[in-house]
Amino acid sequence: MLLQQYRSLYRIRRVEEVIAAHYREQQMRCPVHLSIGQEAVAVGVCTQLHREDALFSGHRAHAHYLAKGGDLQALFAELYGKATGCCSGRGGSMHLIDLAVGFWGATPIVAGTVPLAVGVALAWQLQGRSGVSAVFIGDGAMEEGVVHESLNYAAQQQLAVLFICENNGYAVYTRLAGRQPPRQIHALAAAHGLTVAVADGNDVELVSQHSAAAVAAMRQGGGPQFLELTTHRWLEHCGPDDDDHLGYRQPGELAAWRERCPLALAAERLQVRDAVSEATLVQLRQQVEDEIAAALEAAQNAPEPDGCERLEHLYGE
Amino acid sequence: MLLQQYRSLYRIRRVEEVIAAHYREQQMRCPVHLSIGQEAVAVGVCTQLHREDALFSGHRAHAHYLAKGGDLQALFAELYGKATGCCSGRGGSMHLIDLAVGFWGATPIVAGTVPLAVGVALAWQLQGRSGVSAVFIGDGAMEEGVVHESLNYAAQQQLAVLFICENNGYAVYTRLAGRQPPRQIHALAAAHGLTVAVADGNDVELVSQHSAAAVAAMRQGGGPQFLELTTHRWLEHCGPDDDDHLGYRQPGELAAWRERCPLALAAERLQVRDAVSEATLVQLRQQVEDEIAAALEAAQNAPEPDGCERLEHLYGE
Amino acid sequence: MASERQLSYAEALREAFVIALSRDPRVFLIGEGVPDPKGIFATTSGLAEQFGAQRVRDMPLSENGMTGICIGAALAGMRPVLMHQRLDFALLSLDQIINHAAKWRYMFAGRAHVPLVIRLIIGRGWGQGPQHAQALVALFAQIPGLKVVTPATPYDARALMLAAIADADPTIYIEHRWLHNIRDTVPEAVAIEPLQGGRVARQGQDITVVTYSYMLLEVHAAAAALAVAGVAVEVIDLRVIRPLDVALIVASVTKCGHLLVVDTGHGDFGVAAEVIAAVTIAAFTALQSAPARLGLPPHPCPTAPALSRDYYPDAAAVVTAIAQQLVLPQAVQQQALSLLQRGDHPHDTPYRGFNGPF
Amino acid sequence: MASERQLSYAEALREAFVIALSRDPRVFLIGEGVPDPKGIFATTSGLAEQFGAQRVRDMPLSENGMTGICIGAALAGMRPVLMHQRLDFALLSLDQIINHAAKWRYMFAGRAHVPLVIRLIIGRGWGQGPQHAQALVALFAQIPGLKVVTPATPYDARALMLAAIADADPTIYIEHRWLHNIRDTVPEAVAIEPLQGGRVARQGQDITVVTYSYMLLEVHAAAAALAVAGVAVEVIDLRVIRPLDVALIVASVTKCGHLLVVDTGHGDFGVAAEVIAAVTIAAFTALQSAPARLGLPPHPCPTAPALSRDYYPDAAAVVTAIAQQLVLPQAVQQQALSLLQRGDHPHDTPYRGFNGPF
Ligand SMILES: Cc1ncc(C[n+]2csc(CCOP(=O)(O)OP(=O)(O)O)c2C)c(N)n1
Ligand SMILES: Cc1ncc(C[n+]2csc(CCOP(=O)(O)OP(=O)(O)O)c2C)c(N)n1
Ligand SMILES: [Mg+2]
Ligand SMILES: [Mg+2]
């Protein structure tokens, strides 16, 4: 299990690094919000979801999309504005979808998809269908009223919704303390009547464990669950660069989090605890690199959408 | 003190009964939401506010307006759509204002005035002015996202805002349990980082005590406070009539609350505990009746606004 | 005869819900008060008893969140009908309506779509006032990805609700509180019509009057009065505001040569502006006089009867506007106006003098 | 000479903030990112350092709540300037804007009022896409009680911000991301002007082209090219969308006889519709041809460059529309178009070829 998760962590990290590297060529002409440093949240949660479970996300969604099984080539192609993109070029980085793997949609109005996830759970309850509907949000999203409306309804109706709050301590350049009073985010969800847990979001095994418990409870009718997972974003809020020189982080904060790299943590455990050989890891990494290189090339070579297509899909039929 | 409060309770009760009685004449041509049964909340809180403190309210605002010292004739006149109304006839029952006594405004979009109260406290903080800004909401308003946004900001900025949640157990015909999960409303505010208290809203002395503590804390820079006060509305949600025959209340619920009439409770204490004579109460009631009769007559005889006035006050200057 | 059956607008709407709930297990109704004793002005009364509390649902006071929740349910295969007792309350949910419902299909290139109906009621009279009487139809109609319908007759109340529920995209269904008691023929037989197109509600050749929702009643009354005085007004009921049926209006204006638009909302920046602009662009040479419009004045609705008395244009105002535009003789105008006496019926409660046919 | 001083639009706007914060202790700025290292595209950079964190404030991600909080602060005597980095985010706050800010003065008959400025930025290019590029100006302009301004020049960026801050009523200040780098003369001397009126931005007598915000640039470029080809275009920059300066447009149309409206937002149900309707009603006989409009097509903005390429009309589209309306000879149109070559400048980043004078 951890080896699979490490593979997923590594894959997400490298995909984002590749995006960052190529972003400067100005061929991916859309804003990108990278998750480098936060990968364990996506991987730990998504390994506990089935393909049929629904997942929603927001502006920082690449990791969630990939962890849920989203098509890699379609992601790259979407960033390149190609016809083979997961939204056929309609969306760019901030709009991702892959219904085949239960990735129902990511969009960049903060908290906008939160009630949608609740609505899917409501539909499934009405349809007598089992399944978990999950949504990733940031710490900033907790300030949006619609999240509270969603938590209230999920709790009142006892819907199978998993809210995952990826608390990276910042919204753009603004620290949590500049936006919220000194109290725990998960305690707020608990006060809404949800079952909650908080954990180190850089430890993929811990995230997995908590997610497994939450998802298991929901599959047994346990009502909505809320996970707060603490982590840190390494790069700038939007864009491919490091921005620590801007000085908005606490001194030493980024360095400390880099020390706690989710990949390094997992790799170390694999080698020390599970006695996985370096050769295994090297091979795994090479497979990932090959996959990424092939997907990137396919996306780069894919055709652009026909300009006339922009008129389609406003309404059905 | 209790005698003054009883006077205020009695006055509010009688004003609303008079409104109910005359409403059927169809001369007050606007929706009315009466507070009969809930008077102790308004009176207990407002006796702890200074005239200079700001107060906001919502659709069920007559009691709040009167308890804060709002002009009675201007209230009646507003309901009659007269030029001497507190909004010059612009608003009717659901829009009340009396800036001379710190009643900053009541409007009927549920929870709409909540952030405004926070904004006044922010302005006063910026201006270095002391003073408390207070807002009455119902239990239903707690479901609106904007209330959570307001609680968050008040707590984060440590603003002197008093939120009073008049929990009457219903929003229109819908029970609390049909709208919110089984958890305490005040616990939700506490999770936002506010200092909270909960009390029997039909006991004016209890309400006073809790309000006094909350207001005192705020005057010493103690940050925002939240009071949940449980009570019950005796009449229909909107309009002058009893509606218990509709059967939306629990059987016996209204009767039990009528047993706990805030006026009767206060009167009994005055007589039994404080040895106030029946004659004193009779005299007090008569004064109130006289005042109401005079104000009502003045409002009824007041002129209607000139139809052309409707074009004014869209913009200043 | 079955086709002679008369229903009120509210009854016809309720019948639409019965039909939709019976036929389609994906349909559910949701809104503050939907299953309560008043049943949204009796349009949902008894439905919870008939179809169960799961499908005829109350909801918390969370307009934006519940809109998003209905979008999610629609994505997952349901057909929610979300209701607000006043259009004004839906202003809390414009984020979910505009940013999400209207764009989901487009931004995901058709991979998913939102078959959601949002039903809004425009309040009027009895002191509805500034926050309970807004008629902001163009606010919704200007958003690509939404459809907007404004049924004015009992027949359309049912037909357009059924069309909206059957439609695969988000539809804003806007009705007017003063239409609820209007009665007209609604045949028992139901044909689900596509959600498009306006309707010539009355034929004439002297002037085209375009209107929608409640003002159709006032325009009909004006047209009837003018007919007696010898003026043949062609009345167009838009029915669907987005997509707008410009061709129908252009055809009428080409015949009549004169255009008046009577808006149920504000006169400026609203539906009337779009109709006049679209028609002038498309049929400039057909116009023999400047087009005109009549709508609410550019300020909120004041509450006091003395203040709201002249806020709402009525049939007399329509007659006056037409007389001005066609430069009718004074006597003709007076004759038409004299037929419009409402007696001493209060101006702030629905006028029941006109009941169709529409 | 001082009056020759050149500022970019962003610098001029920042200067407006410096002036307002210096002159008036009631003014404070607030918004997500206002004091951060990027300073809202550098328009607020350094202000927190200069005026303190109390007056140049960040805020939580709570658009509706913070709007209400600013309304409350305005009621208590402050002059808040609330900013959103994209207009799209303000859609979360339409309840507070429409139900509260716009109505407070009216519904309380002038007893209180809301001197609040809400600054919105329309995004464009570099993949802003469906939820970050909405240009919904008419959404605000249709609301009585609001004022709406859309400065297109550095001079107006400063002047209209100062006018909005000085104004006693809620003002929606809408700017376009692609204007930020435009440079033009902004004299150091500051006169606070009332918040009203449009402006003849270029004189001509062959056709009136009405526009606002970013599209003024494209219209200017088109007018300059057509001038070389012998066509004299009169350009009107609306500046203030509500209240709309109809008289100014009517005067121009009376002179020119032809009207084209170039909208920065959608072509239908928007500002162009109101302008065309108002002008046609007021000056029908002055029009020698059908009025025309040019605006965004009726669908959201797709992200991919290949899809967004033709979404935005440009100077060439303006030339073509004018040529069509005036039935210009092919050669004239070709000559004007040939002057508009943008070379290989990417279509999704701001075009810096035109820099005034405006
Ligand atoms: C409603 C809305 N307001 C503001 C923004 C601008 N914005 C984009 S991301 C972001 C910060 C979000 O912070 P958080 O939720 O903590 O997520 P993170 O970026 O840290 O992953 C903001 C303010 C937006 N996209 N939507
Ligand atoms: C935003 C909004 N949604 C819905 C309504 C309709 N409405 C008016 S009062 C009310 C119930 C309010 O319940 P609560 O807050 O508990 O106050 P109470 O009436 O019990 O005093 C509702 C739903 C409204 N006025 N505003
Ligand atoms: Mg964050
Ligand atoms: Mg209540």
Side-chain angles (χ1 to χ4, degrees):
Chain A
M1 178 73 163
L2 182 57
L3 191 64
Q4 269 316 308
Q5 289 183 328
Y6 177 74
R7 187 181 198 288
S8 187
L9 290 172
Y10 183 78
R11 181 167 175 265
I12 292 170
R13 169 71 54 93
R14 289 294 301 139
V15 166
E16 300 237 273
E17 286 176 349
V18 164
I19 291 171
H22 287 276
Y23 195 73
R24 298 173 183 95
E25 296 159 6
Q26 309 218 341
Q27 296 305 309
M28 301 181 192
R29 302 177 77 81
C30 60
V32 289
H33 301 80
L34 304 181
S35 288
I36 293 178
Q38 309 189 185
E39 299 88 347
V41 174
V43 173
V45 170
C46 289
T47 42
Q48 304 306 325
L49 296 177
H50 299 164
R51 171 184 276 252
E52 299 72 32
D53 292 328
L55 182 61
F56 287 89
S57 180
H59 58 287
R60 195 177 307 285
H62 300 170
H64 309 145
Y65 170 95
L66 291 172
K68 189 70 167 66
D71 186 284
L72 177 58
Q73 201 266 104
L75 171 66
F76 280 138
E78 190 58 35
L79 271 66
Y80 277 109
K82 296 302 182 72
T84 55
C86 62
C87 309
S88 310
R90 289 290 170 90
S93 160
M94 304 195 294
H95 304 260
L96 302 178
I97 193 167
D98 191 342
L99 291 171
V101 297
F103 193 82
W104 285 56
T107 55
I109 296 295
V110 168
T113 55
V114 174
L116 275 60
V118 178
V120 170
L122 172 64
W124 288 353
Q125 189 186 68
L126 290 169
Q127 293 160 358
R129 234 200 84 158
S130 64
V132 164
S133 180
V135 58
F136 282 101
I137 57 175
D139 49 301
M142 288 302 292
E143 296 146 26
E144 294 288 4
V146 75
V147 170
H148 296 274
E149 298 180 351
S150 300
L151 292 169
N152 178 68
Y153 196 68
Q156 197 265 330
Q157 294 283 323
Q158 287 292 294
L159 300 173
V161 194
L162 176 62
F163 300 85
I164 311 107
C165 180
E166 210 162 344
N167 183 355
N168 64 7
Y170 290 85
V172 195
Y173 300 105
T174 312
R175 259 201 289 282
L176 193 53
R179 302 175 283 114
Q180 298 179 27
R183 50 101 192 97
Q184 299 292 308
I185 283 177
H186 61 275
L188 196 45
H192 274 295
L194 280 83
T195 306
V196 306
V198 59
D200 174 3
N202 279 21
D203 181 335
V204 72
E205 290 192 306
L206 259 183
V207 174
S208 266
Q209 281 160 29
H210 283 287
S211 304
V215 168
M218 280 190 289
R219 297 207 197 281
Q220 274 145 39
Q225 313 272 324
F226 187 99
L227 296 179
E228 177 184 352
L229 301 164
T230 51
T231 184
H232 196 75
R233 147 174 72 71
W234 290 7
L235 301 183
E236 58 187 340
H237 166 70
C238 180
D241 294 318
D242 180 279
D243 70 350
D244 207 28
H245 61 279
L246 292 177
Y248 67 95
R249 294 184 174 87
Q250 317 264 32
E253 188 178 15
L254 177 59
W257 279 102
R258 279 184 180 273
E259 281 294 304
R260 305 199 52 263
C261 171
L263 276 69
L265 265 170
E268 194 191 313
R269 261 189 222 154
L270 283 172
Q271 297 188 277
V272 175
R273 186 189 67 190
D274 302 347
V276 172
S277 72
E278 179 67 24
T280 308
L281 294 185
V282 167
Q283 190 193 2
L284 172 155
R285 292 187 192 120
Q286 192 53 53
Q287 285 169 353
V288 168
E289 299 293 347
D290 293 347
E291 184 207 357
I292 292 175
L296 185 73
E297 202 190 322
Q300 286 168 331
N301 294 332
E304 292 203 315
D306 183 317
C308 298
E309 274 173 28
R310 73 174 168 82
L311 299 173
E312 287 166 21
H313 299 306
L314 182 61
Y315 300 105
E317 266 96 270
Chain B
M1 180 72 163
L2 182 57
L3 191 64
Q4 268 317 308
Q5 289 184 328
Y6 176 73
R7 187 183 198 287
S8 186
L9 290 172
Y10 183 78
R11 181 168 175 266
I12 292 169
R13 169 72 55 92
R14 288 295 301 140
V15 166
E16 299 238 272
E17 286 176 348
V18 164
I19 290 170
H22 287 276
Y23 195 73
R24 298 172 184 96
E25 295 159 7
Q26 309 217 342
Q27 296 305 310
M28 301 181 192
R29 301 177 78 81
C30 59
V32 290
H33 302 80
L34 304 181
S35 287
I36 293 178
Q38 309 188 183
E39 298 88 347
V41 174
V43 173
V45 170
C46 289
T47 42
Q48 305 305 325
L49 296 177
H50 299 165
R51 172 184 276 252
E52 298 73 31
D53 293 329
L55 182 61
F56 288 87
S57 178
H59 58 288
R60 195 178 306 285
H62 300 171
H64 308 146
Y65 170 95
L66 291 172
K68 187 73 169 61
D71 187 283
L72 177 58
Q73 201 265 102
L75 171 67
F76 280 138
E78 190 59 35
L79 270 66
Y80 277 109
K82 297 300 181 71
T84 55
C86 63
C87 309
S88 310
R90 289 290 170 90
S93 160
M94 303 195 295
H95 305 260
L96 301 178
I97 193 167
D98 191 343
L99 291 171
V101 297
F103 193 82
W104 285 56
T107 54
I109 296 295
V110 168
T113 55
V114 173
L116 275 60
V118 178
V120 170
L122 172 64
W124 288 353
Q125 190 186 69
L126 290 169
Q127 293 161 358
R129 232 199 86 156
S130 66
V132 163
S133 180
V135 58
F136 283 101
I137 56 175
D139 48 301
M142 289 301 294
E143 296 146 25
E144 294 288 4
V146 75
V147 170
H148 297 274
E149 298 180 351
S150 301
L151 291 169
N152 179 68
Y153 196 67
Q156 196 266 331
Q157 294 284 323
Q158 288 292 293
L159 300 173
V161 194
L162 176 63
F163 300 86
I164 311 108
C165 180
E166 208 161 349
N167 183 354
N168 64 7
Y170 290 86
V172 195
Y173 300 106
T174 312
R175 259 201 290 281
L176 194 52
R179 302 175 282 114
Q180 298 179 27
R183 50 101 193 98
Q184 300 291 310
I185 283 177
H186 61 274
L188 196 45
H192 274 294
L194 280 84
T195 307
V196 306
V198 58
D200 174 3
N202 279 22
D203 181 335
V204 73
E205 290 191 305
L206 259 183
V207 174
S208 267
Q209 282 159 28
H210 283 287
S211 305
V215 168
M218 279 190 290
R219 298 210 196 278
Q220 276 145 37
Q225 313 272 323
F226 187 98
L227 297 179
E228 178 184 352
L229 301 164
T230 50
T231 183
H232 196 75
R233 146 174 73 71
W234 289 7
L235 299 183
E236 58 187 341
H237 165 70
C238 179
D241 293 319
D242 180 279
D243 70 349
D244 207 30
H245 60 279
L246 292 176
Y248 67 95
R249 293 184 174 89
Q250 316 264 33
E253 187 178 16
L254 177 58
W257 280 101
R258 278 184 180 273
E259 281 294 305
R260 305 201 50 263
C261 172
L263 276 69
L265 266 169
E268 194 191 311
R269 261 189 222 152
L270 283 171
Q271 297 189 274
V272 176
R273 186 190 68 193
D274 302 345
V276 173
S277 72
E278 178 68 22
T280 308
L281 294 184
V282 167
Q283 191 194 1
L284 172 155
R285 290 187 193 121
Q286 191 54 50
Q287 284 169 354
V288 168
E289 299 293 346
D290 292 347
E291 183 207 357
I292 291 175
L296 184 73
E297 203 190 322
Q300 286 169 331
N301 294 333
E304 293 202 316
D306 183 317
C308 298
E309 275 173 27
R310 73 174 167 82
L311 299 174
E312 288 166 21
H313 300 304
L314 182 61
Y315 300 105
E317 269 97 90
Chain C
M1 242 182 72
S3 73
E4 291 297 302
R5 191 180 61 140
Q6 300 276 314
L7 290 183
S8 75
Y9 188 102
E11 289 162 355
L13 187 47
R14 185 179 176 285
E15 186 168 278
F17 295 138
V18 172
I19 293 166
L21 287 163
S22 305
R23 286 190 182 174
D24 189 343
R26 301 172 303 176
V27 174
F28 68 91
L29 315 185
I30 185 165
E32 289 158 22
V34 167
D36 82 17
K38 293 266 171 81
I40 317 279
F41 310 113
T43 59
T44 58
S45 298
L47 298 180
E49 292 69 19
Q50 190 174 348
F51 296 98
Q54 288 290 77
R55 299 187 64 203
V56 182
R57 307 172 67 90
D58 213 322
M59 73 178 206
L61 281 61
S62 309
E63 288 79 4
N64 200 34
M66 296 310 302
T67 304
I69 287 164
C70 287
I71 295 171
L75 290 175
M78 302 301 289
R79 299 251 154 174
V81 183
L82 169 64
M83 324 190 174
H84 301 286
Q85 305 217 18
R86 293 288 182 292
L87 181 147
D88 316 65
F89 309 158
L91 302 183
L92 282 80
S93 63
L94 288 174
D95 160 44
Q96 283 296 331
I97 294 175
I98 300 176
N99 283 330
H100 300 87
K103 298 192 171 46
W104 207 264
R105 180 194 286 273
Y106 189 87
M107 68 191 168
F108 292 120
R111 285 175 180 77
H113 63 278
V114 181
L116 165 65
V117 182
I118 301 180
R119 176 187 168 206
L120 310 177
I121 303 174
I122 297 172
R124 173 170 170 182
W126 198 264
Q128 293 301 301
Q131 292 181 330
H132 277 57
Q134 293 174 80
L136 298 170
V137 176
L139 191 85
F140 299 95
Q142 78 190 262
I143 306 298
L146 298 181
K147 295 184 179 181
V148 178
V149 304
T150 54
T153 67
Y155 181 88
D156 276 343
R158 188 182 75 177
L160 288 174
M161 179 52 77
L162 289 172
I165 292 173
D167 199 272
D169 292 300
T171 303
I172 313 294
Y173 178 104
I174 304 182
E175 75 206 54
H176 194 288
R177 181 69 183 92
W178 279 24
L179 291 169
H180 284 165
N181 299 324
I182 298 299
R183 299 187 76 78
D184 197 16
T185 302
V186 183
E188 292 203 41
V190 180
I192 296 202
E193 304 164 25
L195 201 157
Q196 64 186 31
R199 191 176 63 94
V200 176
R202 179 188 183 106
Q203 301 220 337
Q205 63 283 328
D206 292 337
I207 183 170
T208 302
V209 179
V210 175
T211 190
Y212 66 94
S213 191
Y214 172 72
M215 286 307 286
L216 177 64
L217 268 64
E218 302 286 347
V219 168
H220 259 308
L226 279 164
V228 176
V231 182
V233 174
E234 177 140 310
V235 178
I236 291 185
D237 173 9
L238 291 174
R239 297 172 74 249
V240 179
I241 309 295
R242 186 180 193 99
L244 190 65
D245 190 353
V246 177
L248 180 80
I249 313 170
V250 165
S252 175
V253 169
T254 303
K255 178 175 68 176
C256 301
H258 302 275
L259 171 66
L260 169 68
V261 187
V262 179
D263 206 313
T264 296
H266 293 294
D268 63 333
F269 278 104
V271 175
E274 176 60 24
V275 170
I276 289 177
V279 171
T280 307
I281 290 170
F284 181 66
T285 53
L287 285 170
Q288 291 160 35
S289 67
R293 59 183 166 181
L294 200 60
L296 303 180
H299 63 78
C301 180
T303 300
L307 293 171
S308 68
R309 188 166 289 124
D310 300 324
Y311 184 70
Y312 292 100
D314 60 5
V318 175
V319 166
T320 305
I322 291 172
Q324 208 174 315
Q325 199 169 355
L326 298 184
V327 202
L328 295 180
Q330 191 71 14
V332 173
Q333 179 175 355
Q334 282 314 323
Q335 186 188 358
L337 287 175
S338 69
L339 295 167
L340 290 173
Q341 299 311 324
R342 283 171 58 123
D344 52 5
H345 182 84
H347 76 92
D348 59 350
T349 58
Y351 176 50
R352 300 209 168 93
F354 183 77
N355 242 334
F358 297 87
Chain D
M1 240 180 73
S3 74
E4 292 295 302
R5 190 179 63 139
Q6 301 276 311
L7 291 184
S8 75
Y9 189 101
E11 289 162 355
L13 188 47
R14 187 180 174 287
E15 186 168 278
F17 295 139
V18 171
I19 293 166
L21 286 163
S22 305
R23 286 190 182 176
D24 189 343
R26 301 171 303 175
V27 174
F28 68 91
L29 315 185
I30 185 166
E32 289 157 23
V34 167
D36 82 17
K38 293 265 172 81
I40 316 281
F41 310 113
T43 58
T44 58
S45 298
L47 299 180
E49 292 69 19
Q50 189 175 346
F51 296 97
Q54 288 290 76
R55 300 187 65 202
V56 182
R57 307 172 68 90
D58 213 323
M59 71 177 206
L61 281 63
S62 308
E63 288 79 5
N64 200 34
M66 296 309 303
T67 303
I69 286 165
C70 287
I71 295 171
L75 290 175
M78 302 302 289
R79 299 252 155 175
V81 183
L82 170 64
M83 325 191 173
H84 302 287
Q85 304 218 17
R86 293 288 181 294
L87 181 147
D88 316 66
F89 309 158
L91 302 183
L92 281 80
S93 63
L94 288 174
D95 160 43
Q96 282 296 330
I97 295 176
I98 300 177
N99 282 330
H100 299 88
K103 297 194 171 44
W104 207 264
R105 180 194 286 273
Y106 189 86
M107 68 190 167
F108 292 120
R111 286 176 179 76
H113 63 278
V114 181
L116 164 64
V117 182
I118 302 179
R119 175 186 169 208
L120 310 177
I121 301 174
I122 297 172
R124 172 170 170 182
W126 199 264
Q128 292 301 302
Q131 292 182 330
H132 277 57
Q134 293 175 80
L136 298 170
V137 176
L139 192 85
F140 298 95
Q142 78 191 262
I143 306 298
L146 297 181
K147 295 184 178 180
V148 177
V149 304
T150 54
T153 68
Y155 182 89
D156 276 344
R158 187 182 75 176
L160 289 174
M161 179 52 78
L162 289 172
I165 293 173
D167 200 272
D169 291 302
T171 303
I172 312 295
Y173 178 104
I174 303 182
E175 76 206 53
H176 193 287
R177 181 68 184 93
W178 279 24
L179 291 170
H180 283 166
N181 299 323
I182 299 298
R183 299 187 76 79
D184 197 16
T185 302
V186 183
E188 291 202 43
V190 179
I192 296 201
E193 304 165 25
L195 202 158
Q196 62 185 31
R199 189 176 65 94
V200 176
R202 178 190 184 104
Q203 300 221 336
Q205 63 284 329
D206 293 337
I207 183 170
T208 302
V209 178
V210 175
T211 190
Y212 66 93
S213 191
Y214 172 72
M215 286 307 286
L216 176 64
L217 267 65
E218 302 286 348
V219 169
H220 260 308
L226 280 165
V228 175
V231 181
V233 174
E234 177 139 310
V235 178
I236 291 185
D237 173 10
L238 290 174
R239 297 173 73 248
V240 180
I241 310 295
R242 186 180 192 97
L244 189 65
D245 190 353
V246 177
L248 180 79
I249 313 170
V250 165
S252 175
V253 169
T254 303
K255 177 174 69 176
C256 302
H258 302 275
L259 171 66
L260 168 69
V261 186
V262 179
D263 206 313
T264 296
H266 293 295
D268 63 333
F269 278 104
V271 175
E274 176 59 25
V275 170
I276 289 177
V279 171
T280 307
I281 291 170
F284 181 68
T285 53
L287 285 170
Q288 291 161 35
S289 67
R293 58 182 167 181
L294 200 59
L296 303 180
H299 62 78
C301 180
T303 300
L307 294 171
S308 67
R309 186 165 291 124
D310 300 324
Y311 184 70
Y312 292 100
D314 60 5
V318 176
V319 166
T320 304
I322 291 172
Q324 209 174 313
Q325 199 169 354
L326 298 184
V327 203
L328 294 180
Q330 190 71 14
V332 173
Q333 178 175 355
Q334 282 314 323
Q335 187 188 356
L337 286 176
S338 69
L339 294 167
L340 290 173
Q341 297 312 324
R342 284 172 57 121
D344 53 6
H345 182 83
H347 76 92
D348 60 350
T349 58
Y351 177 49
R352 302 212 166 91
F354 183 77
N355 243 335
F358 295 88

